[in-house]
Amino acid sequence: MKREISLQSRPGCGLWPVVVWFLVVVGGVVLAWYGFTWTEDDGQMVAVQPSTMASDTPPPSPTMTSTLSPTDTPQPTSTSTPTLVPPTATPVTPRIVAGADGANVRSGPGTSFTHLDYLDPGAQARVIGRYGDWWQIEHEGAAAWVFGEIVTPYDTDGVQQVQPPSSPTPVPPTVTPTPTPAQPTATSGPPAEFRGLVPNNYWVEDAPGPFDRGSQIWFNMDITNANPYRVYYDALGTWVEETEQFQKSWTNQKFSGGQHFTWRDHIEISSAGTYDLWMRICFTDGPCVNLMGPITIEVK
């Protein structure tokens, strides 16, 4: 007698292993199919198109954009500090300015030196040296000299003392004869001592006086320069023979070529007496001469 064994009579056996195996296989297939056919986008299930899956082109890389936050502070650009160059100092030129009477220009520091030229009032010259009371200047490209008391110096603190030229051989003084006429007379031809100056007239107003002591005694001069060139002089005016008082109406001046010169001035005599007045001139490079006179006056 054959024994029939029922599968249901044995717990744990029968169809359960087959069911479990089937579920495992189905689950694996579902998971595989889910992984290859579905993707997640923003929390939703989106089907992937076959063309996208088949493409070999890699997706574009995201561009990284750097944005400064409001709290980021840009760093300052490094700049080099420029080197300050001090301004170039303007050189100061020492100079002299001729005074109201102008200035004679000589070859050396003294009246015994040759007279070279004349600086008009206000004229300037560059100073290149000094000696005593004289300034050495640059004049027409050469060194010359002017007397310091008749010019005004500027910026001459650094001017050095220089060795002057040798003194010229002194010229013996010329003896001028004293005219004898009592009244002024004009000569037909001026003597050589006049240097070409022609004294036209010389008179004293209200002569012979008498004049009070210390009063103003007015005189007049009329002169013509017959030369075509300039004649320089140191002083021009009225000279009192008895006292050698010299009323200098003009100093350190010149007569231009052909110039006609007239002038009115006064002299004061403080002592009573009789006096002879002369029109007198002292040339720059020569002696003093009486151009016209004398005119006799009385002072009480």
Side-chain angles (χ1 to χ4, degrees):
M1 183 177 176
K2 298 181 180 180
R3 184 182 292 181
E4 294 181 1
I5 302 173
S6 176
L7 294 175
Q8 294 179 354
S9 62
R10 299 180 63 181
C13 299
L15 294 177
W16 285 108
V18 177
V19 173
V20 172
W21 178 84
F22 177 78
L23 293 175
V24 171
V25 173
V26 172
V29 172
V30 171
L31 291 176
W33 177 84
Y34 177 82
F36 284 98
T37 59
W38 297 90
T39 183
E40 184 177 1
D41 184 18
D42 296 332
Q44 297 180 357
M45 300 301 294
V46 180
V48 179
Q49 299 297 328
S51 60
T52 304
M53 296 297 297
S55 176
D56 295 333
T57 303
S61 301
T63 303
M64 300 299 294
T65 303
S66 176
T67 304
L68 294 176
S69 64
T71 58
D72 292 335
T73 302
Q75 296 298 321
T77 304
S78 176
T79 58
S80 59
T81 302
T83 302
L84 297 178
V85 179
T88 304
T90 302
V92 177
T93 301
R95 67 191 188 283
I96 56 94
V97 178
D101 295 329
N104 291 318
V105 180
R106 297 183 179 273
S107 61
T111 56
S112 59
F113 287 88
T114 304
H115 179 269
L116 301 176
D117 204 350
Y118 172 79
L119 295 180
D120 293 323
Q124 300 187 24
R126 187 170 74 91
V127 175
I128 57 178
R130 68 179 304 168
Y131 181 78
D133 295 332
W134 291 75
W135 294 106
Q136 187 183 45
I137 63 172
E138 185 180 82
H139 182 70
E140 297 182 353
W145 297 81
V146 294
F147 188 47
E149 293 186 3
I150 57 176
V151 298
T152 302
Y154 294 93
D155 302 316
T156 55
D157 292 341
V159 175
Q160 302 295 322
Q161 292 276 346
V162 297
Q163 184 65 31
S166 301
S167 299
T169 302
V171 179
T174 303
V175 178
T176 304
T178 303
T180 55
Q183 296 298 323
T185 57
T187 60
S188 58
E193 292 84 354
F194 291 1
R195 309 291 179 87
L197 299 182
V198 179
N200 300 314
N201 201 353
Y202 173 65
W203 72 97
V204 177
E205 299 175 10
D206 300 323
F211 298 94
D212 294 331
R213 288 176 293 179
S215 64
Q216 296 180 350
I217 304 172
W218 292 90
F219 59 89
N220 297 266
M221 300 181 291
D222 189 331
I223 305 171
T224 299
N225 180 17
N227 299 290
Y229 51 82
R230 292 179 291 184
V231 176
Y232 295 90
Y233 60 90
D234 289 337
L236 172 66
T238 286
W239 180 70
V240 182
E241 179 178 348
E242 287 74 18
T243 61
E244 296 188 353
Q245 178 184 352
F246 194 0
Q247 175 59 40
K248 300 177 181 179
S249 299
W250 289 88
T251 58
N252 300 304
Q253 294 293 327
K254 67 179 182 298
F255 289 107
S256 301
Q259 178 183 358
H260 180 207
F261 173 84
T262 59
W263 190 251
R264 180 176 182 263
D265 198 358
H266 68 273
I267 186 173
E268 298 176 4
I269 300 177
S270 58
S271 300
T274 301
Y275 301 95
D276 292 325
L277 307 185
W278 297 83
M279 179 169 62
R280 189 177 182 89
I281 189 170
C282 294
F283 294 103
T284 298
D285 56 351
C288 297
V289 296
N290 295 326
L291 296 175
M292 188 171 281
I295 298 178
T296 303
I297 64 171
E298 294 182 8
V299 178
K300 62 178 182 177

